């Protein structure tokens, strides 16, 4: 006896006249490594698994050696310990069921590089003065900061907004620290009266997670509401805003509309002349009227008393009684020379809902926070504060980013379910065996779940791109299981009707090994094909790389399942029951249909290659003529439209133009609501003038059925407004354009000129 059999006999000291022996376990120190995990098919040789104690008897007259590869070792281990593999898979699925719900959810992956926003209030300065006296010194100080790629600024009347863009991968909080240090150099160069530059709170690229509209119920006998817009705005600023800022994950709360409450001193020039008081005297008196003066301590042996000069006002009457000066021993009070009252500040922004005055509140979240979790916390906080609002104040949620996420997840979930159903419908006529169908569907589900676990380990969030990658990978993920199960089933069928049937588990192992190299090679080719997507940089890489990761995670997970759970299930389910001698009728039909084409392709290979080359050339000629777009248009139900009037238009003129749209659309069944945010809010990074309004429109379910026609009709209504330049777009599209390029339009012309 020669070859590997003689080597084994010599190693384990088996006599030559022995007709059979037992080879136990794997990785035995008595057996050379080249014979690990092999099946020896020789008369009288028995291969016994030391764990499963399954004996495979081989009656072949010749021996065959399977290559001792790692993949074959894993296959043999999975078949030998098939119930252990099934149990481990069940435990893994339970762990995934606990881990995946904790992954952060978002509409899109973080598509913007780290950015820091600087806002500087410059009351009374014109836009050109803000540009030259405020924005330019800040830009000069920021330029040269390590990691900075772009510095953009927007200057409007009384406000400067500078946005600093850093390299990809820069830590956001380190970037904010660097900007803070550079701002100290610029503060001394700013003119007097300009407030200290403020760094805006950190927000995610798609920052707004919810928008609420606070309106008043006008069902009063006199047609008025007991709650004024000033009192409503004051309630929101003090109660609602502070409560929402306490919610973990909320970074900023902006309020549009309402009247900001002020203590106003309206000086009477006639009275100033009569009392011989200057305007500067009145100004200094007002400043000093709201100050507590420290007076030190009165210390006795047993007691210490704090001395203070109480000067802070507690009401309007205290301010009126403030002394400006004295004439001949008689004090001149503030009320003697001015009209002191509570009034509304000059509006730089306004809000309305369906034509009714409203306070519009936007809630922004911090980066890297889970949007649904923060949204639910905000909703809970809003329910708390609603109980304390005046009874005539109504709150309506007009936007929730969580709706986008739920819709995206539901669409992908539906796609996965539909894909599984389609796979089942295709496999049933071809396989005609419920056991094979169960193996394929179980392997598909496990592959997708394991792909989600891999994405979680890579620090990815669940968004439209990662979930889309999983959806695209359905066909590839189930392919491994189909190939394995079909080949094992065919091998078992041939073995059952063979004159010399082999042990069933050996047939299962051989069936898996026959296709393993081919399937694994196809997986490697898929990885190579998807590799270029990870070479994308910038915005393209940040958006499309998660989709590639989702696809590859599912494909790699399917390969792992094909080495473990799929052969284990094949060993458990397929060897049982009677196996038909022939393939199903559908499979035979398509094979007969395919055979002539295959023969023609082999005989006329030159014709096939020439046709393929011709099609390739035609495709290369057609591609340049196709339209190009960065991302397909999102089917968004919430629109954020801009309405821009001529520069110099007043806030009232902007409100009147926006009211035209509200009045036309508020009763239209194709639209749920029309919300207007004109001008800007305090702290808003959009340095818009009072001549610009955001018209937020919610499309109803009826309008979404014919969304294109609804948008076209909306554009027609916007174009009817004279002297207005409208822009119609969705919320996500609007935010992407504004964050990435600094403008709200798809096409922008930038004009550069020397200073």
């Amino acid at each position: 006896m020669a070859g590997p059999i003689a080597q084994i006999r010599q190693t384990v000291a088996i006599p030559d006249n022995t007709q059979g022996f037992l080879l136990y376990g794997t990785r035995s120190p008595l057996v050379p490594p080249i014979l690990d995990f092999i099946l020896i098919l020789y008369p009288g040789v028995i291969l016994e698994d030391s764990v499963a104690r399954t004996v495979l008897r081989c009656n072949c007259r010749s021996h065959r050696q399977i290559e001792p590869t790692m993949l074959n070792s894993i296959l043999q281990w999975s078949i030998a310990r098939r119930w252990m593999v099934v149990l481990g898979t069940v435990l893994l699925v339970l762990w995934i069921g606990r881990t995946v719900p904790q992954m952060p959810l978002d509409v899109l992956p973080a598509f913007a590089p780290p950015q820091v926003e600087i806002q500087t209030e410059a009351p009374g300065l014109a836009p050109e003065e803000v540009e030259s006296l405020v924005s330019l010194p800040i830009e000069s100080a920021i330029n040269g900061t390590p990691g900075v790629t772009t510095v953009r600024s927007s200057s409007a009347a009384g406000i400067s907004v500078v946005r600093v863009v850093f390299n990809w991968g820069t830590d956001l909080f380190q970037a904010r620290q660097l900007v803070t240090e550079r701002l100290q150099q610029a503060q001394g160069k700013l003119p007097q009266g300009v407030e200290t530059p403020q760094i805006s709170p950190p927000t995610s690229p798609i920052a707004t997670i919810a928008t609420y509209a606070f309106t008043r119920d006008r069902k009063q006998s006199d047609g008025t509401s007991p709650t004024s817009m000033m009192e409503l705005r004051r309630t929101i600023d003090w109660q609602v805003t502070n409560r929402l800022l306490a919610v973990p994950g909320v970074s900023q709360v902006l309020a549009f509309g309402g009247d900001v409450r002020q203590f106003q001193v309206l000086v009477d020039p006639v009275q100033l002349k009569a009392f011989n008081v200057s305007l500067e005297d009145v100004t200094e008196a007002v400043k000093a009227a709201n100050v507590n003066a420290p007076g030190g301590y009165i210390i006795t042996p047993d007691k210490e008393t704090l001395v203070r000069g109480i000067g802070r006002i507690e009401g309007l009457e205290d301010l009126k009684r403030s002394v400006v000066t004295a004439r001949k021993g008689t004090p001149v009070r503030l009320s003697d020379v001015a009209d002191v009252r509570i009034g509304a500040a000059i509006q730089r922004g306004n809000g309305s809902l369906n034509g009714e005055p409203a306070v519009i509140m936007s809630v922004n979240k911090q980066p890297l926070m889970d949007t649904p979790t923060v949204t639910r916390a905000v909703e809970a906080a809003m329910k708390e504060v609603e109980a304390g609002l005046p009874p005539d104040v109504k709150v309506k949620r007009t936007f929730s980013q969580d709706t986008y996420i739920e819709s995206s997840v539901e669409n992908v979930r539906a796609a996965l379910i539909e894909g599984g159903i389609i796979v089942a419908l295709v496999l049933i006529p071809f396989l005609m065996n419920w056991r094979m169908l169960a193996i394929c569907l179980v392997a598909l589900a496990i592959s997708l779940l394991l792909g989600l676990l891999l994405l979680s380990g890579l620090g990815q969030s669940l968004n439209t791109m990662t979930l889309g990658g999983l959806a695209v990978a359905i066909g590839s993920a189930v392919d491994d299981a189909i190939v394995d199960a079909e080949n094992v089933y065919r091998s078992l069928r041939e073995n059952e009707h063979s004159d010399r049937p082999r042990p069933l588990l050996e047939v299962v192992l051989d069936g898996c090994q026959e296709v393993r190299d081919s399937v694994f090679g196809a997986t490697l080719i898929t990885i190579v094909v998807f590799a270029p997507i990870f070479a994308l940089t910038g915005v393209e890489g940040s958006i499309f790389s998660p989709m590639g990761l989702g696809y590859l995670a599912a494909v790699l997970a399917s390969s792992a399942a094909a080495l473990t759970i799929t052969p284990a299930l094949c060993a458990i389910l397929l060897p049982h029951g009677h196996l038909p001698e022939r393939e199903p009728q559908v499979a035979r039909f398509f094979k007969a249909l395919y055979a002539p084409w295959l023969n023609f392709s082999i005989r006329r290979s030159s014709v096939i290659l020439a046709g393929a080359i011709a099609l390739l050339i035609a495709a290369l000629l057609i591609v340049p003529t196709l339209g190009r777009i960065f991302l397909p248009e999102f089917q968004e139900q919430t629109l954020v439209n801009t309405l821009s009037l001529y520069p110099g238009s007043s806030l009232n003129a902007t409100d009147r133009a926006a009211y035209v749209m509200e009045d036309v659309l508020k009763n239209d069944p194709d639209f749920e609501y029309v919300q207007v945010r004109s001008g800007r809010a305090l702290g808003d990074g959009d340095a818009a003038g009072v001549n610009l309004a955001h018209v937020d429109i919610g499309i109803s379910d009826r309008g979404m059925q014919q969304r294109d026609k609804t948008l076209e009709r909306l554009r027609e209504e916007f174009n009817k407004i004279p002297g207005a330049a409208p822009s119609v777009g969705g919320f996500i599209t609007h935010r992407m354009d504004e964050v990435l390029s600094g403008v709200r339009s798809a096409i922008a012309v930038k004009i550069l000129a020397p200073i």
Side-chain angles (χ1 to χ4, degrees), residues 312-333:
R312 287 190 178 275
I313 60 175
E314 297 181 358
L316 192 61
E317 292 300 322
D318 293 341
L319 183 59
K320 289 181 178 180
R321 290 194 298 266
S322 300
V323 177
V324 178
T325 186
R327 293 291 181 265
K328 297 180 180 180
T330 302
V332 178
R333 303 183 185 277

Side-chain angles (χ1 to χ4, degrees), residues 120-134:
T120 308
E121 298 282 346
L125 296 185
E128 58 270 18
E129 295 173 329
V130 173
E131 174 68 24
S132 60
L133 300 178
V134 180

